[in-house]
Amino acid sequence: MTDFIQQQGPAFLAHLLRRLADELVQGAADWYPTVGVTAPPRTISTLLALDEHGPLGVTELAGLLRQSHPLVIVWIKELTRLSLVKSRDDPADRRRTLIALTTKGKSELVRIREALVVMEQASAELLEQAGADSLQMLWALERNCRELPFLQRLQRKSG
Protein backbone atom coordinates (compact mmCIF):
# COMPACT_ATOMS: atom_id res chain seq x y z
CA MET A 1 0.00 0.00 0.00
CA THR A 2 1.28 3.45 -0.91
CA ASP A 3 1.99 5.92 1.88
CA PHE A 4 -0.71 8.61 1.84
CA ILE A 5 1.60 11.34 3.17
CA GLN A 6 4.31 10.48 0.66
CA GLN A 7 1.69 10.88 -2.11
CA GLN A 8 1.06 14.44 -0.93
CA GLY A 9 4.58 15.49 -1.91
CA PRO A 10 6.88 18.21 -0.55
CA ALA A 11 4.00 20.17 1.00
CA PHE A 12 4.04 17.54 3.77
CA LEU A 13 7.75 17.82 4.59
CA ALA A 14 6.92 18.84 8.18
CA HIS A 15 4.68 15.77 8.57
CA LEU A 16 7.46 13.49 7.32
CA LEU A 17 10.05 15.09 9.62
CA ARG A 18 7.69 14.89 12.61
CA ARG A 19 6.97 11.24 11.85
CA LEU A 20 10.70 10.54 11.70
CA ALA A 21 11.40 12.52 14.90
CA ASP A 22 8.61 10.68 16.70
CA GLU A 23 10.06 7.31 15.65
CA LEU A 24 13.53 8.26 16.87
CA VAL A 25 12.31 9.74 20.15
CA GLN A 26 9.98 6.82 20.91
CA GLY A 27 12.71 4.32 20.14
CA ALA A 28 15.04 6.17 22.51
CA ALA A 29 12.31 6.43 25.18
CA ASP A 30 11.78 2.67 25.07
CA TRP A 31 15.52 1.89 25.01
CA TYR A 32 17.00 4.38 27.50
CA PRO A 33 15.52 2.70 30.61
CA THR A 34 17.13 -0.60 29.56
CA VAL A 35 20.54 1.08 29.95
CA GLY A 36 19.67 2.93 33.16
CA VAL A 37 18.74 6.34 31.74
CA THR A 38 15.61 7.84 33.32
CA ALA A 39 15.59 11.27 31.66
CA PRO A 40 13.14 11.63 28.76
CA PRO A 41 14.95 11.70 25.39
CA ARG A 42 13.89 15.25 24.56
CA THR A 43 15.52 16.54 27.77
CA ILE A 44 18.95 14.97 27.28
CA SER A 45 20.34 18.02 25.48
CA THR A 46 19.28 20.20 28.42
CA LEU A 47 21.25 18.05 30.86
CA LEU A 48 24.28 18.06 28.56
CA ALA A 49 24.10 21.86 28.19
CA LEU A 50 23.94 22.34 31.95
CA ASP A 51 26.88 20.00 32.41
CA GLU A 52 28.96 21.82 29.81
CA HIS A 53 27.98 25.41 30.64
CA GLY A 54 27.10 25.25 34.34
CA PRO A 55 23.94 26.77 35.77
CA LEU A 56 21.92 28.69 33.18
CA GLY A 57 18.73 30.69 33.02
CA VAL A 58 15.80 29.34 31.03
CA THR A 59 16.24 32.01 28.36
CA GLU A 60 19.91 31.11 27.97
CA LEU A 61 19.06 27.41 27.75
CA ALA A 62 16.36 28.07 25.16
CA GLY A 63 18.79 30.10 23.05
CA LEU A 64 21.57 27.56 23.37
CA LEU A 65 19.28 24.68 22.36
CA ARG A 66 17.34 26.78 19.81
CA GLN A 67 14.06 25.73 21.36
CA SER A 68 11.14 27.82 22.54
CA HIS A 69 11.15 29.25 26.05
CA PRO A 70 7.83 27.53 26.92
CA LEU A 71 9.15 24.15 25.73
CA VAL A 72 12.33 24.49 27.80
CA ILE A 73 10.18 25.33 30.84
CA VAL A 74 8.25 22.07 30.30
CA TRP A 75 11.54 20.16 30.12
CA ILE A 76 12.86 21.85 33.29
CA LYS A 77 9.67 20.94 35.16
CA GLU A 78 10.04 17.31 34.10
CA LEU A 79 13.73 17.20 35.03
CA THR A 80 12.94 18.86 38.39
CA ARG A 81 10.23 16.27 39.04
CA LEU A 82 12.84 13.57 38.40
CA SER A 83 15.28 15.39 40.77
CA LEU A 84 17.84 15.76 37.97
CA VAL A 85 17.92 19.58 38.12
CA LYS A 86 17.16 22.24 40.68
CA SER A 87 16.33 25.93 40.47
CA ARG A 88 17.77 28.77 42.51
CA ASP A 89 17.79 32.54 42.43
CA ASP A 90 20.70 34.14 40.61
CA PRO A 91 22.74 35.90 43.31
CA ALA A 92 23.68 38.62 40.78
CA ASP A 93 20.07 39.22 39.66
CA ARG A 94 17.25 38.09 41.96
CA ARG A 95 14.71 38.33 39.11
CA ARG A 96 16.52 35.56 37.27
CA THR A 97 16.30 31.86 38.09
CA LEU A 98 19.25 29.58 37.43
CA ILE A 99 18.85 25.92 36.59
CA ALA A 100 21.59 23.58 37.79
CA LEU A 101 22.27 19.86 37.84
CA THR A 102 21.69 17.95 41.04
CA THR A 103 23.98 15.18 42.25
CA LYS A 104 21.46 12.73 40.80
CA GLY A 105 21.58 14.65 37.51
CA LYS A 106 25.36 14.37 37.38
CA SER A 107 25.12 10.60 37.96
CA GLU A 108 22.50 10.39 35.22
CA LEU A 109 24.91 12.07 32.82
CA VAL A 110 27.42 9.25 33.23
CA ARG A 111 24.79 6.79 31.98
CA ILE A 112 23.63 9.22 29.30
CA ARG A 113 27.12 9.63 27.87
CA GLU A 114 27.54 5.84 27.70
CA ALA A 115 24.15 5.52 26.01
CA LEU A 116 24.99 8.26 23.52
CA VAL A 117 27.85 6.16 22.15
CA VAL A 118 25.31 3.52 21.09
CA MET A 119 22.83 6.22 20.00
CA GLU A 120 25.48 7.72 17.72
CA GLN A 121 26.29 4.33 16.19
CA ALA A 122 22.63 3.51 15.49
CA SER A 123 21.99 7.00 14.11
CA ALA A 124 25.10 6.88 11.92
CA GLU A 125 23.94 3.54 10.50
CA LEU A 126 20.51 4.98 9.72
CA LEU A 127 22.04 8.06 8.08
CA GLU A 128 24.48 5.94 6.07
CA GLN A 129 21.60 3.86 4.72
CA ALA A 130 19.85 7.07 3.66
CA GLY A 131 22.87 8.36 1.73
CA ALA A 132 26.32 9.77 2.36
CA ASP A 133 25.24 13.40 2.74
CA SER A 134 21.93 12.90 4.57
CA LEU A 135 23.04 14.51 7.86
CA GLN A 136 24.58 17.48 6.05
CA MET A 137 21.35 17.85 4.07
CA LEU A 138 19.28 17.98 7.27
CA TRP A 139 21.60 20.58 8.80
CA ALA A 140 21.38 22.58 5.57
CA LEU A 141 17.56 22.57 5.83
CA GLU A 142 17.78 23.83 9.41
CA ARG A 143 20.37 26.51 8.51
CA ASN A 144 18.31 27.65 5.51
CA CYS A 145 15.25 28.06 7.76
CA ARG A 146 17.30 30.23 10.13
CA GLU A 147 18.55 32.36 7.23
CA LEU A 148 15.07 32.76 5.74
CA PRO A 149 12.28 31.49 8.01
CA PHE A 150 9.70 29.18 6.48
CA LEU A 151 6.96 31.75 7.12
CA GLN A 152 8.77 34.22 4.87
CA ARG A 153 9.20 31.56 2.21
CA LEU A 154 5.46 30.89 2.33
CA GLN A 155 4.68 34.61 2.13
CA ARG A 156 7.00 35.07 -0.86
CA LYS A 157 5.38 32.21 -2.75
CA SER A 158 1.82 33.29 -2.00
CA GLY A 159 2.09 36.99 -2.55
Side-chain angles (χ1 to χ4, degrees), residues 52-129:
E52 187 171 322
H53 295 278
L56 294 169
V58 175
T59 302
E60 291 170 296
L61 266 170
L64 185 64
L65 301 174
R66 287 199 194 124
Q67 295 292 334
S68 72
H69 191 272
L71 182 58
V72 172
I73 289 172
V74 169
W75 291 345
I76 295 302
K77 285 180 181 177
E78 180 65 13
L79 292 170
T80 300
R81 187 187 66 74
L82 293 169
S83 301
L84 299 174
V85 300
K86 60 186 173 189
S87 303
R88 62 177 164 85
D89 289 336
D90 183 343
D93 181 355
R94 291 276 190 229
R95 297 168 296 172
R96 185 169 169 242
T97 301
L98 292 176
I99 310 303
L101 292 170
T102 61
T103 302
K104 184 178 177 184
K106 290 175 185 175
S107 295
E108 179 84 351
L109 275 163
V110 172
R111 293 182 298 278
I112 286 170
R113 290 189 193 289
E114 290 172 0
L116 287 176
V117 172
V118 176
M119 182 71 68
E120 183 170 344
Q121 293 167 352
S123 296
E125 177 184 285
L126 187 60
L127 288 162
E128 187 177 299
Q129 290 172 343

Side-chain angles (χ1 to χ4, degrees), residues 131-144:
D133 295 332
S134 55
L135 184 59
Q136 291 80 7
M137 181 271 305
L138 291 169
W139 279 114
L141 286 172
E142 193 267 348
R143 182 179 59 253
N144 292 340

